[in-house]
Amino acid sequence: MLTRRVIPCFDVANGRVVKGVSFVALRDAGDPVELAAQYDRDGADELVFLDITASSEGRASVYDMIARTADQVFIPLTVGGGVRSVQDMRQMLAVGADKVSVNTAAVEQPELVNEGAYRFGSQCIVVAIDAKRTVPRADGAARWEVYLHGGRTPTGFDAIAWAREAVARGAGELLVTSMDTDGHQDGYDLDLLCAVRAAVDVPIVASGGAGTPQHLVDALVEGGSDAVLAASIFHFGTYTIGSIKEYLAAHGVPVRPVRGADA
Amino acid sequence: MTVDVVIVDYGAGNLRSVARAVAHAGVEALVTADPRAVEAARAVVMPGVGAAADTMANLRAAGLVEPVREYIASGRPFLGVCMGLQALFDVSEEGGEHACLGVVPGRVVRFPQGLTVPHMGWNTVKLRRPHPVFEGVAQGSYFYFVHSYYPRPADDGTVAGETEYGGARFASVVARGNLVATQFHPEKSGADGLRVYANFVRLALVQGTLEPAALAAPLGS
């Protein structure tokens, strides 16, 4: 049976992991290769690197970082942040990313999704959608607006309509982040996940709001997501991936057992 | 001794991942589109992502169709991955009806409507029979999949492993003699995937000591 994926997400800048990571055993908690290997051993199903580097010199170090990580970690790697062209996608894939995630650029130039899917296959084009609740429809149904630039810029676009369009253009997966719940560790926006689930038939990765293992169960069962992305819950060492997977399994969610735990 | 492992480069992605996985098994593979390298190889890996029509167009443009067919017919070790499995069949229905290599009888078809597609993530493989490439891999091990089409072999005897998705089983491992192909990506499947590559490289080492005439025998069917 296809298992649901648990995906830790790292913010990286200039080739280093920058946001609160607390693996005490690590020699260098900022080293993406060491962290990736640790999460792999711990049972992560994929890894997402979100590049928040501003400078172009920094970009080169990200390519190097992906290459070094892919040399040693044999699970899927997704890289997002600052991908603005087919050339960017090509370079990310060439150095070892398995999927590239596009957000702002996909909204500003939607043909990028078509072209990326055409050149490299839908399976490696992830469209990331940052959605924020807005005025409900006349019948009371919830609505969400697409935000860009890390949640700073409203677009006026309906998030569900954009999800549908992104898939029609060739996105093979959607990474759906709720701007309302992100960072609060108070649970994912399940209404948003359900609305996207009803709109598209590609895999959905839920993001924004994980604080407890039950939040992940909710996103996967009630929200109908195929995967859950989280940062703080793992990085602050509150829960290991292994303990979360045990919790998911105990609550009827099919997961890939952590190696060693089942051997 | 040297083992010449060739990774067929026909413009598809994830070659580097495959090369890394082979390197992890202790062998530097040659990544090339040169048909002569395929002809001379002792082991060939054909990876691949993307669409069937592009794959075949690229193989044709590189002059690789006949060399790959002849290589496989010679009985030397061959590992197809994902699109590298699908390309082995007679026909793929991806984006129409496209003739493929015709090395393994059967068709490649789309998952039915109503399922989440691509089939993406870790799923189990039930091995139907032992194969040297899966030595040491436990029954029901997890591998990473990402695909929207799946193979439907005409000859049930070529199905070496199966995977369940959406309530139906499909052939996730196809094997015939030294020809093995997986719908999943062993190079992205952690330790079990690396074991598949290590076994494949070892198979090439063992087989490489044999005469080509002896190698052709198991494929006679």
Side-chain angles (χ1 to χ4, degrees):
Chain A
M1 183 192 279
L2 180 65
T3 54
R4 306 296 179 98
R5 291 167 280 151
V6 177
I7 308 174
C9 175
F10 306 100
D11 283 357
V12 297
N14 304 306
R16 307 269 303 163
V17 175
V18 292
K19 208 158 80 177
V21 171
S22 69
F23 274 121
V24 285
L26 295 183
R27 189 168 36 81
D28 176 1
D31 176 31
V33 180
E34 213 175 328
L35 272 171
Q38 175 66 46
Y39 277 106
D40 175 24
R41 282 193 294 276
D42 216 22
D45 294 313
E46 289 184 30
L47 299 172
V48 170
F49 290 104
L50 187 61
D51 177 24
I52 57 171
T53 308
S55 68
S56 52
E57 310 86 74
R59 302 285 302 170
S61 64
V62 167
Y63 293 129
D64 175 61
M65 182 208 89
I66 298 301
R68 287 188 297 119
T69 307
D71 273 335
Q72 294 186 33
V73 179
F74 293 89
I75 59 174
L77 307 176
T78 300
V79 185
V83 175
R84 311 204 61 82
S85 66
V86 166
Q87 186 52 36
D88 289 344
M89 291 177 174
R90 186 190 307 283
Q91 200 159 355
M92 283 296 188
L93 296 169
V95 296
D98 297 288
K99 305 184 224 180
V100 288
S101 169
V102 279
N103 188 331
T104 299
V107 174
E108 290 177 348
Q109 17 160 357
E111 329 73 56
L112 184 58
V113 179
N114 302 65
E115 211 179 336
Y118 175 75
R119 297 277 182 88
F120 313 115
S122 283
Q123 81 289 335
C124 60
I125 306 299
V126 181
V127 169
I129 301 175
D130 291 343
K132 191 176 166 69
R133 276 180 191 261
T134 180
V135 189
R137 284 202 320 233
D139 63 1
R143 285 174 63 236
W144 294 264
E145 181 177 355
V146 176
Y147 274 64
L148 303 181
H149 305 112
R152 292 192 304 275
T153 314
T155 63
F157 294 141
D158 180 76
I160 307 306
W162 169 232
R164 226 178 255 123
E165 182 183 338
V167 171
R169 287 179 177 276
E173 184 168 67
L174 299 180
L175 170 55
V176 180
T177 304
S178 161
M179 304 305 303
D180 302 294
T181 60
D182 194 32
H184 292 281
Q185 295 196 260
D186 207 20
Y188 296 87
D189 185 338
L190 300 180
D191 295 337
L192 171 63
L193 297 175
C194 288
V196 177
R197 176 74 289 163
V200 302
D201 61 1
V202 300
I204 296 168
V205 182
S207 159
T212 70
Q214 185 59 41
H215 292 151
L216 277 69
V217 172
D218 293 342
L220 294 166
V221 177
E222 218 180 302
S225 302
D226 302 277
V228 278
L229 183 102
S232 327
I233 189 172
F234 301 125
H235 302 332
F236 296 138
T238 323
Y239 301 95
T240 62
I241 303 224
S243 69
I244 281 179
K245 282 191 157 183
E246 275 172 32
Y247 187 91
L248 293 177
H251 288 75
V253 177
V255 289
R256 177 176 69 115
V258 176
R259 218 182 157 75
D262 62 322
Chain B
M1 68 170 291
T2 57
V3 177
D4 299 316
V5 179
V6 165
I7 297 173
V8 185
D9 177 6
Y10 55 92
N14 94 326
L15 296 175
R16 192 157 166 175
S17 302
V18 171
R20 283 168 169 131
V22 173
H24 199 269
V27 174
E28 282 304 318
L30 179 64
V31 179
T32 178
D34 184 353
R36 289 166 304 180
V38 171
E39 284 159 13
R42 289 197 164 137
V44 167
V45 183
M46 193 160 82
V49 293
D54 291 344
T55 298
M56 288 310 299
N58 290 341
L59 286 172
R60 272 186 219 108
L64 281 164
V65 169
E66 279 315 311
V68 167
R69 277 195 185 125
E70 281 165 18
Y71 174 89
I72 291 170
S74 77
R76 284 169 284 172
F78 179 95
L79 177 62
V81 173
C82 195
M83 183 47 69
L85 169 148
Q86 297 189 0
L88 297 174
F89 285 84
D90 294 320
V91 170
S92 170
E93 295 182 5
E94 183 173 6
E97 183 106 347
H98 298 281
C100 293
L101 292 170
V103 169
V104 180
R107 299 174 74 81
V108 174
V109 301
R110 197 176 194 279
F111 283 116
Q113 293 294 320
L115 278 182
T116 299
V117 172
H119 169 226
M120 186 187 283
W122 298 78
N123 203 336
T124 49
V125 172
K126 187 177 176 213
L127 296 168
R128 271 209 194 169
R129 52 187 161 89
H131 190 283
V133 165
F134 282 87
E135 201 175 310
V137 174
Q139 184 65 277
S141 290
Y142 290 81
F143 291 92
Y144 188 82
F145 289 81
V146 51
H147 60 122
S148 301
Y149 289 75
Y150 67 94
R152 199 179 265 165
D155 175 3
D156 195 55
T158 59
V159 181
E162 291 177 304
T163 294
E164 182 269 326
Y165 185 53
R169 286 181 179 283
F170 68 91
S172 51
V173 185
V174 167
R176 192 179 63 194
N178 285 329
L179 164 73
V180 184
T182 65
Q183 180 58 66
F184 53 82
H185 289 273
E187 69 280 0
K188 287 290 153 186
S189 297
D192 282 324
L194 291 176
R195 183 162 298 176
V196 166
Y197 276 103
N199 287 339
F200 178 71
V201 166
R202 203 187 43 180
L203 183 70
L205 271 166
V206 173
Q207 300 284 347
T209 63
L210 300 176
E211 292 299 314
L215 285 174
L219 247 179
S221 62

